[in-house]
Amino acid sequence: MSFASLRTSRRSKEARSFVKDTTAATKSESLSEQKEGHSSQPPYDVPDGPRAVQHGSGATRIQPLQVRKSAIAGRGAFTEVAHKAGSVVIAVKPHVNALSTPYLAEFCTNCSSPPKQSVKLKRCTQCRVVWYCENKCQAADWNVHKYECKALQKWEESAPSDARIPSDALRCLGRILWGFRIHGLDSEWTKAMNQLQSHRTSLPPSAYESYAHLAHSLIRYLEVESPIELEPYGIKSTADLVDVISRFTTNAFTLTSYTLDPIGVAVSPVAAFINHSCDPNAVIVFPRISDAPHTEEPKMNLVAIKPIAPEDEVTISYIDVTLPRELRQKELKETYNFECKCTLCSTQQHEDPRTAMLCPKRCGGIRPAPMNDSVSPPCKKCKATTANLDSELDAFNVGQEMLEKATTMQNADPEKARKLASRVIGIMVDAGLTPSCHPLLAVTRLYQELLIASLAESMTQAALDETIRTSARYVAGLTAVLPAGHPVRGVALAELGKLLAVDELSSPSDMDGSAKRFPPSGSARLKLAHETLVKARDELLIGFGTDNGGGLVGREVREAIVRLEKELGAWTQGIRNAMEDAKGRT
Ligand SMILES: C[S@@+](CC[C@H](N)C(=O)[O-])C[C@H]1O[C@@H](n2cnc3c(N)ncnc32)[C@H](O)[C@@H]1O
């Protein structure tokens, strides 16, 4: 989501910032840095005994993760030392990464960064598919792209017009297999990839079709004509091929932009040992600290979002944990082949804000969502039960249906998707769903994205205010389901703060009783923007790493805070001057 085209600049006068930059002093001293693939020791061959993951030439200050048997499942990653919330546990460059097709022309294929201001990405003149931000990135990527380049050209010759470019999964798998050839089948790089978990022997029948499709496409992409041609890639049988695909699907991470937009896939054998929890103690982010050399990016950071004690297992979430238990379980089963037994999944559902509704009498209490057409739990405060069970159940069904419909049509017809989202939000709010309740939270997120995109094209005061209200509802929902410092919360707060800081189009009307309306106007709006951005920065410093200064998004927020403080100072001074003028006249 980009704010580049929103009018965030305001006239400002010189003033001192109250915000301390924590970045400069600490960054070089304490950021954990690892490079993968240059270790002199075999790192991954110990499923049973404790062993440190030692991956880096630059690992001097690293407190390595230990890989050992986990009580959660198989192997897991454990820290040897305590970590505070906001501490970067490890920072690694993935072995492979690939951009999703819509982002190929927007981000550099090597470092996954957007072009720096006023510099355009340069396209590979041979395949005309991948783009680079600078010659260094193109040179760094050439050892694998030289194979990929030919494969992409061949693929295009025979591909149907709507699939001229292979999917990100296929391009990532291609890069893994070329990596095996480049590094050698006995290399640390290849061994590390081959030690990742495969679900080949326990694949559910529902996965057969997608695996078969991926396997056929991969063989076509690699231009392989007989099984013997797969041997240089270490594939001697169909089972080996299924293993490669399963290792990829089980261990791939979403590659995200610095504001958490999903832009591709990445595989890191270090991060792949981290087990899942729906209530994790850490997150994976790509903070994109702007002064890091581009060839070091994309740098995957494992950041503690809660205190982690020595010997504790580090957990992350593989999925969107704002979803209710049933949907989380379904997704984990389908994609990762397991049933989650984390604390959140074992908690009683009626305590869960993801399924919470307001009291039917609006007494201020809440109640769990109806479970089916005969069970409707009472309000926890006044014990009232609903008289409109059918319409409440309809609101959930329509909400879910419309979420899927609006998601599908968001690119082809964003205006229609926006109207649909707005209508269904109204239905769910009227039925009493709380902002954190699914699917209201998910539709609110989509609606916010669509509104922001439309603001970039044409901005009216009404549209801006509607976007702010939607953003505030989204933040309220997230606050109920995610812990403080979760990067998704931090980014959502930053978006709200930036929206509040956009210049109002109509003149402020503080005098007309508008103090009660939301969003407020004039100086109250600026103060709220400031408060929100300060909160955002505190959360981003945790979610993207304190030593990273909250990542690029944290730094942008800090700059926005400085601008606002100047403006608030100017505003206060203006009022003071006006009062003194008035005093002078009397
Ligand atoms: C990325 S791997 C994690 C490392 C893995 N445990 C190993 O031994 O290599 C993902 C796989 O680990 C297992 N796993 C991860 N988290 C789990 C959990 N909370 N409950 C059960 N199995 C889990 C599942 O088999 C999943 O497909």
Side-chain angles (χ1 to χ4, degrees):
M1 196 173 298
S2 166
F3 282 89
S5 43
L6 292 183
R7 300 183 313 140
T8 50
S9 62
R10 293 168 168 272
R11 269 177 297 128
S12 57
K13 296 208 174 82
E14 284 304 310
R16 222 171 55 81
S17 169
F18 306 118
V19 185
K20 245 179 49 199
D21 186 356
T22 58
T23 322
T26 53
K27 189 177 155 290
S28 59
E29 283 159 25
S30 47
L31 177 63
S32 302
E33 294 273 344
Q34 284 195 324
K35 276 185 196 154
E36 290 187 28
H38 303 291
S39 168
S40 56
Q41 310 168 19
Y44 299 119
D45 57 352
V46 272
D48 302 321
R51 179 108 167 230
V53 178
Q54 294 280 16
H55 269 274
S57 47
T60 44
R61 283 189 200 91
I62 294 283
Q63 297 297 336
L65 288 173
Q66 292 240 325
V67 175
R68 60 171 189 256
K69 227 181 175 115
S70 156
I72 298 176
R75 300 160 295 183
F78 296 76
T79 68
E80 289 181 321
V81 294
H83 287 283
K84 289 191 283 201
S87 151
V88 177
V89 182
I90 52 165
V92 291
K93 195 166 167 6
H95 268 33
V96 263
N97 50 282
L99 291 167
S100 302
T101 306
Y103 299 105
L104 282 165
E106 286 182 35
F107 294 87
C108 171
T109 273
N110 183 57
C111 68
S112 329
S113 305
K116 285 200 178 118
Q117 275 166 353
S118 77
V119 179
K120 285 191 173 160
L121 293 178
K122 289 189 205 116
R123 182 155 61 171
C124 169
T125 51
Q126 292 176 35
C127 66
R128 303 175 65 80
V129 172
V130 305
W131 300 66
Y132 296 101
C133 62
E134 55 183 28
N135 292 346
K136 271 191 201 154
C137 271
Q138 181 162 26
D141 198 44
W142 181 242
N143 71 343
V144 66
H145 183 63
K146 66 183 173 221
Y147 298 101
E148 182 186 59
C149 194
K150 286 200 194 100
L152 288 170
Q153 291 171 62
K154 273 272 179 216
W155 176 274
E156 197 196 352
E157 283 169 16
S158 56
S161 59
D162 60 345
R164 284 277 152 84
I165 300 174
S167 68
D168 51 7
L170 198 51
R171 281 181 282 112
C172 200
L173 274 163
R175 282 178 168 249
I176 291 172
L177 291 180
W178 289 312
F180 291 167
R181 286 184 70 165
I182 294 163
H183 295 273
L185 296 181
D186 286 330
S187 65
E188 295 303 326
W189 197 97
T190 303
K191 281 187 200 159
M193 294 295 280
N194 282 336
Q195 296 227 1
L196 301 186
Q197 180 164 2
S198 158
H199 285 301
R200 173 173 56 81
T201 53
S202 57
L203 276 185
S206 57
Y208 294 171
E209 201 182 316
S210 63
Y211 268 65
H213 178 73
L214 213 43
H216 281 127
S217 304
L218 188 58
I219 284 169
R220 198 183 122 212
Y221 186 44
L222 296 173
E223 298 173 74
V224 166
E225 290 182 352
S226 67
I228 199 135
E229 289 178 47
L230 279 172
E231 286 190 10
Y233 300 99
I235 297 172
K236 298 201 177 93
S237 63
T238 313
D240 288 344
L241 184 59
V242 176
D243 268 335
V244 168
I245 296 174
S246 180
R247 284 191 190 110
F248 168 72
T249 48
T250 305
N251 297 285
F253 284 86
T254 304
L255 175 68
T256 51
S257 72
Y258 76 101
T259 49
L260 303 178
D261 293 323
I263 58 168
V265 284
V267 182
S268 157
V270 179
F273 285 111
I274 306 168
N275 278 320
H276 163 90
S277 165
C278 299
D279 185 17
N281 53 22
V283 287
I284 294 276
V285 285
F286 295 85
R288 308 247 166 228
I289 317 161
S290 52
D291 49 6
H294 269 197
T295 45
E296 291 292 301
E297 294 281 358
K299 191 61 78 68
M300 193 180 229
N301 281 228
L302 174 67
V303 183
I305 53 167
K306 291 180 188 168
I308 308 178
E311 302 302 315
D312 269 7
E313 178 161 4
V314 182
T315 55
I316 55 170
S317 164
Y318 298 173
I319 52 158
D320 175 4
V321 292
T322 66
L323 295 172
R325 183 172 66 178
E326 198 185 304
L327 294 181
R328 296 198 306 272
Q329 292 281 0
K330 184 166 177 267
E331 201 176 328
L332 289 169
K333 184 79 206 154
E334 283 174 6
T335 312
Y336 299 97
N337 206 17
F338 70 88
E339 188 187 329
C340 184
K341 297 195 177 84
C342 74
T343 42
L344 193 65
C345 286
S346 321
T347 310
Q348 299 273 348
Q349 277 231 289
H350 64 257
E351 300 292 344
D352 193 350
R354 294 161 185 81
T355 51
M357 293 186 74
L358 299 176
C359 165
K361 295 198 171 150
R362 303 294 192 262
C363 77
I366 54 162
R367 64 193 159 121
M371 287 155 197
N372 52 44
D373 58 7
S374 59
V375 182
S376 171
C379 168
K380 286 188 202 152
K381 195 168 162 196
C382 74
K383 308 288 174 226
T385 50
T386 181
N388 300 312
L389 184 55
D390 286 349
S391 60
E392 284 180 3
L393 289 167
D394 277 353
F396 280 96
N397 292 336
V398 169
Q400 186 61 41
E401 227 174 82
M402 294 301 148
L403 170 63
E404 283 156 26
K405 210 167 169 184
T407 306
T408 316
M409 68 167 60
Q410 61 178 321
N411 295 324
D413 194 345
E415 203 187 325
K416 206 164 166 193
R418 189 156 33 94
K419 284 187 181 147
L420 195 63
S422 166
R423 212 170 50 241
V424 76
I425 286 175
I427 296 172
M428 289 189 279
V429 168
D430 288 349
L433 275 72
T434 58
S436 56
C437 187
H438 182 79
L440 179 54
L441 181 60
V443 182
T444 308
R445 171 173 40 210
L446 177 63
Y447 186 46
Q448 183 200 359
E449 278 169 17
L450 292 163
L451 284 170
I452 288 176
S454 76
L455 281 188
E457 280 158 27
S458 99
M459 190 171 350
T460 62
Q461 189 64 52
L464 177 60
D465 287 356
E466 169 72 351
T467 312
I468 292 172
R469 280 190 291 275
T470 305
S471 180
R473 176 182 287 133
Y474 180 48
V475 166
L478 287 180
T479 306
V481 287
L482 298 177
H486 194 289
V488 170
R489 249 175 81 152
V491 169
L493 272 163
E495 279 166 353
L496 175 59
K498 285 185 186 177
L499 283 165
L500 283 162
V502 172
D503 277 334
E504 284 177 87
L505 304 177
S506 44
S507 51
S509 50
D510 270 352
M511 314 304 286
D512 65 0
S514 62
K516 281 193 212 110
R517 75 182 252 282
F518 187 82
S521 230
S523 63
R525 189 166 177 130
L526 282 192
K527 274 190 201 139
L528 186 59
H530 183 261
E531 259 171 53
T532 310
L533 287 171
V534 169
K535 240 190 254 169
R537 180 157 163 81
D538 289 347
E539 301 230 357
L540 292 168
L541 280 171
I542 297 176
F544 285 85
T546 313
D547 290 347
N548 293 333
L552 193 49
V553 63
R555 292 182 186 189
E556 279 185 3
V557 165
R558 184 180 174 276
E559 283 161 20
I561 293 172
V562 173
R563 278 200 301 275
L564 265 181
E565 284 177 353
K566 287 178 184 169
E567 192 169 351
L568 276 164
W571 187 291
T572 314
Q573 190 58 50
I575 292 174
R576 228 178 261 144
N577 292 346
M579 283 165 67
E580 271 165 22
D581 280 357
K583 244 195 250 162
R585 278 200 296 272
T586 53

